[in-house]
Amino acid sequence: PTFREKSALAMKAKRSIGASVARTIAPGATVFVDSGTTCLEAGRLLRGREDVTIITNSLPLIATHEQFKARLLVLGGEQRGISGALVGDLAMTSLSRLRADVALIGASALHAEDGAGSTELTETAVKGQWIARGRRTLLLADASKWLEHTMVSFAAWTEFDEFFTDRRPPVKLPPGGAKIVIV
């Protein structure tokens, strides 16, 4: 589906997840906001805060730059048309020099054993770097993602500190994984 089509799906859940996550961000935090539609909802709320720095590869979030009170840092890279994500060598080079207090990561699909998945390899590289370079890593995904299938898994449940979602997972997750926060 296109970014616009994805944005229209589970909108109430995405907004609730975004609001819940935004409330957990401490003053002075540096936050990486991934390119997913649920992360976009959190980013929209965080952009109004003067006390945070946002780093993003999301062109839809960057497009709202006039509404930012937060400090905004933008990764370079090649635009992935379907998601508006900046990916590739330029994005990876930028990431190698940055760290974040919190990394907000989206997923296209969720799998009981494999964790979070994506439809695009170039996006998984960026997501993986942010998971490795974020002090606190949060997975943001509505419950409809359990019904999706993707080509590639990019992170195990143990790589996330918290998983924000709108319903309890329909399967038992492996032990030692992310704390589940139902909003």
Side-chain angles (χ1 to χ4, degrees):
T2 66
F3 188 85
R4 182 167 285 165
E5 291 167 338
K6 285 183 186 182
S7 293
L9 299 173
M11 183 49 66
K12 182 178 178 185
K14 291 175 184 186
R15 286 186 176 147
S16 293
I17 293 166
S20 183
V21 167
R23 285 191 297 270
T24 73
I25 305 302
T30 298
V31 184
F32 172 69
V33 179
D34 193 13
S35 60
T37 55
T38 308
C39 292
L40 178 62
E41 293 303 319
R44 285 177 171 154
L45 294 170
L46 292 171
R47 73 183 174 198
R49 288 181 49 182
E50 294 178 359
D51 63 337
V52 297
T53 297
I54 295 173
I55 306 169
T56 191
N57 67 328
S58 169
L59 286 176
L61 184 57
I62 295 163
T64 67
H65 64 87
E66 293 113 357
Q67 299 168 8
F68 268 73
K69 292 182 181 174
R71 182 176 180 210
L72 174 63
L73 301 176
V74 177
L75 297 183
E78 179 181 349
Q79 175 192 359
R80 178 167 182 249
I82 198 155
S83 67
L86 295 172
V87 297
D89 288 342
L90 289 173
M92 296 301 285
T93 299
S94 297
L95 281 171
S96 71
R97 302 182 73 172
L98 298 169
R99 293 205 179 272
D101 297 309
V102 183
L104 309 183
I105 308 295
S108 300
L110 304 171
H111 189 271
E113 291 85 31
D114 296 338
S118 178
T119 57
E120 176 60 36
L121 285 172
T122 56
E123 285 192 40
T124 63
V126 173
K127 291 172 187 291
Q129 276 297 304
W130 275 113
I131 291 168
R133 303 184 74 72
R135 185 177 301 148
R136 177 178 165 226
T137 57
L138 311 182
L139 175 63
L140 287 60
D142 67 83
S144 72
K145 303 300 169 92
W146 290 103
L147 304 174
E148 300 298 324
H149 300 282
T150 59
M151 175 181 68
V152 61
S153 173
F154 67 85
W157 293 108
T158 55
E159 295 180 68
F160 297 103
D161 296 305
E162 296 165 78
F163 168 33
F164 285 77
T165 189
D166 58 317
R167 279 186 262 141
R168 188 147 299 284
V171 295
K172 184 171 170 72
L173 299 180
K179 173 187 166 191
I180 299 171
V181 179
I182 309 295
V183 300

